[in-house]
Amino acid sequence: MKRFIAEAIGTFGLVFCGTGAIVINEVTQGAVTHPGVAVTFGLIVMAMIYAFGDISGAHINPAVTIAFAYAKKFPWKDVPLYIIAQLLGALLASGFVWMIFPEGETLGATIPQIEVWRVFIFEILLSFFLMVVIINVSTGSKEIGVIAGIAIGGVVLLEAMFAGPITGASMNPARSIAPALMSWNLQHLWVYIVAPIIGCLSAVMSCRLVKDDTCCETNC
């Protein structure tokens, strides 16, 4: 139960701080700035890894949880409970953002700014690169010291910096589902659910191609 609570709190922190930064940037007419939003996402991911990495692994992302299970670094039986905890944490966070900033139109939802098929490919690639880093600096259930926090948070910051204005740089179904439901922007939500899962699973496959067959079960 402690692991599931940790996942809920970690995802809450990610969604509240990340989407909160987006909404605050909107209502203050750019006080946070886009780089500020990207840095917020990167730093909160880093902080949650340091806070909960040794408890739950700090997946805070359903696509990552599914990919770890596919890589045999996480038990499949715990996947549904992890995803439920992540979604609950994300929904609670979006609820607080809405309560504090009811004037926010999208509550930080990820909305395509170009053709949906291009956003779909973009999100697959973003999630692929994120998971490549995650699976190479983590053990699945516990993260490796300072390496994981800096590396994973840095990748999130980097991808949010250059891809945020185009796709929203979700890479995380829970991060997209919660604000989409709260603001009822559901039209393209499927993109931000399916693409991260495909991207993360592809990263596990690539690990198996470039390393030993057992790398994703032991030391990848």
Side-chain angles (χ1 to χ4, degrees), residues 179-199:
L181 288 176
M182 285 292 176
S183 64
W184 210 244
N185 283 283
L186 306 176
Q187 183 177 1
H188 302 298
L189 180 58
W190 68 271
V191 171
Y192 299 101
I193 297 174
V194 178
I197 294 174
I198 293 175

Side-chain angles (χ1 to χ4, degrees), residues 11 15 19 61-63 66 83-84 86-95 106-111 170-186 188-194 196-197:
T11 313
V15 175
T19 62
N61 184 336
I66 292 170
I83 293 176
I84 290 172
Q86 292 157 357
L87 291 175
L88 288 176
L91 287 168
L92 186 60
S94 287
T106 66
L107 301 179
T110 43
I111 299 173
S170 173
M171 306 165 282
N172 185 336
R175 175 261 177 271
S176 290
I177 289 172
L181 288 176
M182 285 292 176
S183 64
W184 210 244
N185 283 283
L186 306 176
H188 302 298
L189 180 58
W190 68 271
V191 171
Y192 299 101
I193 297 174
V194 178
I197 294 174

Side-chain angles (χ1 to χ4, degrees), residues 15-176:
V15 175
F16 180 77
C17 293
T19 62
I22 294 173
V23 175
I24 292 171
N25 192 52
E26 291 175 355
V27 300
T28 60
Q29 298 182 342
V32 179
T33 73
H34 168 63
V37 171
V39 170
T40 299
F41 271 107
L43 290 180
I44 189 59
V45 167
M46 189 185 305
M48 292 302 99
I49 289 173
Y50 290 144
F52 300 112
D54 62 342
I55 299 173
S56 67
H59 298 180
I60 58 177
N61 184 336
V64 170
T65 298
I66 292 170
F68 270 135
Y70 176 66
K72 299 181 181 179
K73 299 176 70 175
F74 186 77
W76 277 107
K77 64 181 179 62
D78 287 342
V79 169
L81 290 176
Y82 257 53
I83 293 176
I84 290 172
Q86 292 157 357
L87 291 175
L88 288 176
L91 287 168
L92 186 60
S94 287
F96 272 97
V97 172
W98 172 79
M99 181 175 64
I100 299 170
F101 301 105
E103 67 272 30
E105 294 183 5
T106 66
L107 301 179
T110 43
I111 299 173
Q113 300 301 314
I114 56 176
E115 290 92 338
V116 174
W117 69 268
R118 290 200 285 167
V119 171
F120 184 72
I121 295 173
F122 211 160
E123 282 290 324
I124 289 175
L125 293 173
L126 294 174
S127 303
F128 172 85
F129 291 127
L130 174 62
M131 191 66 202
V132 163
V133 173
I134 291 174
I135 203 166
N136 279 286
V137 300
S138 70
T139 63
S141 59
K142 294 184 178 181
E143 307 303 339
I144 302 176
V146 297
I147 298 175
I150 294 174
I152 297 169
V155 171
V156 170
L157 189 160
L158 170 67
E159 296 188 338
M161 185 75 76
F162 79 87
I166 301 300
T167 73
S170 173
M171 306 165 282
N172 185 336
R175 175 261 177 271
S176 290

